[in-house]
């Protein structure tokens, strides 16, 4: 049996001494795909290891009696799947992007589900866990489908960048100066499997849903539900899901410890608390990078404004402290809600 990772140790100790197991509320946790595959050369075994190390905040919420829904990203993984498709295109028919989103949602959900079940078993906290491969309804005429901004995949070498651009693909420089592929990312309108997810949460099941932002679909007048070749931002999906299941907490776990003012400059500083109006004003002024922090801010603002709940943005390693108000950036509708 594997030893518990340091990230789980605190949660496991709490579990063995924890109290009532009463329902404390519903939390939706948005877990970045880069948390599971943080480096260019991550193997599937590395991803399992990183998945196990990412579960501390989730275990603690489960121990404290929260109903939990996990929404995970898939940016590195779906980018890798595109590469595999392209390399094998003469030997096997390539799959469209929407199908690859569903495929990665399945296998990343499997990693999280297995790792979390093992952690809760060690903690003596019996909870059912289920992965729901989720479809997300979008507008097929969303302008974002024609203006790719969503980063997927790893950093590209110059030769590969030129090759992709010659083939008609879009490449941009991300917030860390890396050349990466970008794809269309329509705004999520509704979670198609919402009734199923709600029933599972109401029964106390920990649910993994909206993986990779969910597979985007639209309602065709003749054909019914059809897929869209795009990737929906998982943070925006998490906000829609949190709103519609009646969550009190949206926890967005990423690779920075807080939202910063003057990011990337000598005067950068973390912002422990923001109201929705303050965050929106900064967003309109271009303070947050598109394809990185900006979607997280918009997701947090939308959730807090619609529900009066708390949205927190922080690093994976600070998740437990953030729930207690001791780390990260908390966004609320008003200063009094903080």
């Amino acid at each position: 049996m594997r030893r518990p990772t340091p990230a789980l140790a605190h949660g496991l100790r709490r579990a063995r001494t924890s109290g009532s197991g009463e329902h404390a509320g519903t939390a939706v946790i948005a877990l970045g795909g880069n948390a599971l595959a943080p480096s260019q050369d991550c193997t599937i075994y590395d991803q399992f290891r990183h998945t196990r190390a990412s579960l501390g905040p989730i275990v603690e919420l489960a121990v404290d009696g929260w109903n939990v829904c996990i929404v995970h990203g898939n940016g590195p993984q779906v980018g890798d799947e595109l590469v595999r498709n392209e390399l094998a295109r003469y030997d096997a028919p390539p799959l469209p992007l929407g199908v690859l989103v569903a495929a990665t949602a399945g296998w990343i959900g499997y990693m999280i589900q297995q790792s979390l079940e093992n952690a809760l078993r060690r903690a003596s906290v019996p909870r059912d866990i289920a992965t729901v491969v989720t479809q997300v309804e979008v507008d097929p005429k969303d302008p974002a489908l024609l203006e790719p901004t969503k980063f997927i995949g790893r950093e590209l070498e110059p030769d590969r960048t030129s090759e992709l651009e010659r083939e008609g693909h879009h490449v941009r420089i991300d917030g860390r100066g890396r050349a990466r592929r970008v794809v269309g990312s329509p705004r999520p309108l509704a979670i198609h499997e919402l009734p199923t997810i709600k029933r599972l949460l109401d029964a106390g099941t920990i649910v993994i849903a909206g993986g990779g932002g969910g597979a985007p679909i639209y309602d065709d007048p003749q054909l019914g539900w059809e897929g869209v070749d795009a990737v929906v931002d998982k943070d925006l999906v998490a906000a829609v899901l949190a709103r519609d299941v009646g969550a009190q907490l949206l926890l967005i776990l990423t690779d920075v410890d807080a939202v910063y003012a003057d990011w990337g400059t000598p005067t950068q500083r973390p912002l422990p608390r923001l109201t929705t109006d303050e965050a929106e004003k900064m967003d309109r002024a271009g303070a947050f990078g598109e394809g990185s922090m900006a979607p997280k801010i918009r997701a947090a603002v939308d959730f807090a404004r619609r529900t009066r709940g708390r949205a927190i943005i922080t690093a994976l390693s600070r998740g437990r402290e953030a729930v207690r108000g001791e780390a990260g950036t908390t966004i609320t509708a008003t200063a009094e809600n903080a």
Side-chain angles (χ1 to χ4, degrees):
M1 178 181 291
R2 299 183 183 92
R3 293 172 59 85
T5 66
L8 289 176
H10 177 74
L12 296 181
R13 285 195 296 272
R14 284 178 60 92
R16 295 185 181 111
T17 60
S18 180
S20 63
E22 294 176 358
H23 175 37
T26 297
V28 172
I29 301 174
L31 181 63
N34 286 306
L36 311 181
S39 66
Q40 188 90 356
D41 55 353
C42 261
T43 68
I44 189 63
Y45 307 104
D46 295 325
Q47 291 188 46
F48 265 97
R49 178 166 52 82
H50 288 297
T51 298
R52 291 193 294 272
S54 74
L55 298 179
I58 302 169
V59 169
E60 179 150 309
L61 286 169
V63 165
D64 287 344
W66 288 78
N67 280 350
V68 176
C69 185
I70 303 161
V71 178
H72 63 80
N74 71 342
Q77 295 88 351
V78 78
D80 287 350
E81 285 300 290
L82 278 174
V83 172
R84 293 184 184 104
N85 264 251
E86 290 160 357
L87 292 175
R89 62 185 180 272
Y90 300 115
D91 299 309
L95 298 173
L97 184 55
V99 172
L100 296 180
V101 170
T104 54
W107 65 261
I108 298 172
Y110 158 68
M111 286 198 305
I112 296 172
Q113 184 173 318
Q114 184 187 96
S115 301
L116 185 55
E117 183 172 352
N118 285 338
L120 292 174
R121 179 187 293 179
R122 288 193 294 270
S124 301
V125 179
R127 296 285 291 272
D128 290 335
I129 307 168
T131 298
V132 178
V133 176
T134 308
Q135 301 171 97
V136 173
E137 299 171 26
V138 302
D139 182 352
K141 297 180 181 179
D142 191 317
L145 291 169
L146 301 176
E147 301 172 6
T149 59
K150 177 65 177 172
F151 288 103
I152 62 171
R154 315 298 179 99
E155 182 176 4
L156 300 170
E157 297 295 330
D159 289 348
R160 181 60 178 155
T161 297
S162 299
E163 182 181 7
L164 286 171
E165 290 176 333
R166 284 195 303 270
E167 294 174 357
H169 301 291
H170 297 269
V171 177
R172 289 190 179 183
I173 304 301
D174 69 10
R176 296 185 173 182
R178 302 173 299 182
R180 295 172 63 200
R181 190 190 303 227
V182 289
V183 297
S185 184
R187 183 170 63 90
L189 302 177
I191 309 299
H192 193 62
E193 284 74 23
L194 182 66
T196 299
I197 295 166
K198 289 182 74 172
R199 283 195 297 271
L200 289 167
L201 286 172
D202 289 345
T205 299
I206 295 175
V207 181
I208 303 159
I217 60 170
Y218 73 99
D219 195 1
D220 184 274
Q222 279 76 44
L223 301 174
W225 295 107
E226 287 284 305
V228 180
D229 208 27
V231 172
V232 184
D233 186 87
K234 70 101 176 34
D235 296 311
L236 297 179
V237 168
V240 171
L241 183 58
R243 177 195 73 201
D244 291 347
V245 300
Q248 291 77 43
L249 173 66
L250 173 62
L251 180 61
I252 299 176
L253 298 176
T254 182
D255 54 358
V256 293
D257 60 343
V259 177
Y260 279 73
D262 302 329
W263 174 255
T265 73
T267 60
Q268 72 177 33
R269 60 194 186 281
L271 301 170
R273 300 188 184 279
L274 287 170
T275 65
T276 53
D277 287 346
E278 291 168 340
E280 197 169 52
K281 182 178 179 180
M282 292 179 68
D283 187 24
R284 285 197 302 266
F288 310 117
E290 290 294 338
S292 55
M293 184 56 74
K296 295 172 175 45
I297 291 291
R298 292 165 195 162
V301 166
D302 183 69
F303 170 76
R305 184 168 284 157
R306 289 174 181 268
T307 67
R308 318 297 285 186
R310 279 191 303 156
I312 305 173
I313 300 173
T314 193
L316 176 64
S317 61
R318 307 295 304 276
R320 291 190 300 272
E321 298 126 284
V323 171
R324 298 193 294 267
E326 299 168 2
T329 298
T330 296
I331 297 176
T332 53
T334 65
E336 290 74 20
N337 289 107

